[in-house]
């Protein structure tokens, strides 16, 4: 019997606040859009996120994302 796939907390297209937990390329904005859902890594769900302020996408762990406080 198959185990059910873990459910991601956020959905593609949803706006979230990104609060990075480690150093790297500093976030140029706080509000990001979920671009795609990624498989778990190290027991944590991951996402591709993008903000209009950057020309590239980022990978974020679910623990680094919060429901956005700004209206959509």
């Amino acid at each position: 019997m198959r185990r059910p796939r873990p459910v991601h907390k956020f959905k593609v297209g949803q706006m979230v606040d990104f609060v990075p937990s480690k150093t790297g390329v500093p976030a140029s904005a706080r509000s990001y859009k979920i671009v795609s859902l990624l498989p778990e890594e190290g027991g944590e769900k991951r996402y591709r996120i993008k903000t209009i302020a950057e020309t590239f996408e980022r990978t974020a762990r679910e623990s680094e994302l919060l429901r956005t406080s700004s209206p959509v």
Side-chain angles (χ1 to χ4, degrees), residues 40-52:
E40 270 190 25
E41 184 177 281
E44 190 164 12
K45 295 171 198 74
R46 297 177 310 128
Y47 301 81
R48 292 294 272 169
I49 60 173
K50 173 88 172 78
T51 184
I52 196 149

Side-chain angles (χ1 to χ4, degrees), residues 8 14 22 30 40 49:
H8 283 73
Q14 184 175 355
K22 61 181 177 181
R30 183 172 173 143
E40 270 190 25
I49 60 173

Side-chain angles (χ1 to χ4, degrees), residues 26-42:
S28 61
R30 183 172 173 143
S31 188
Y32 285 74
K33 185 181 214 175
I34 302 289
V35 176
S36 65
L37 309 178
L38 299 173
E40 270 190 25
E41 184 177 281

Side-chain angles (χ1 to χ4, degrees), residues 18 20 22-28 54 56 58:
F18 176 49
K22 61 181 177 181
T23 58
V25 178
S28 61
E54 298 173 340
F56 55 91
R58 294 174 177 267

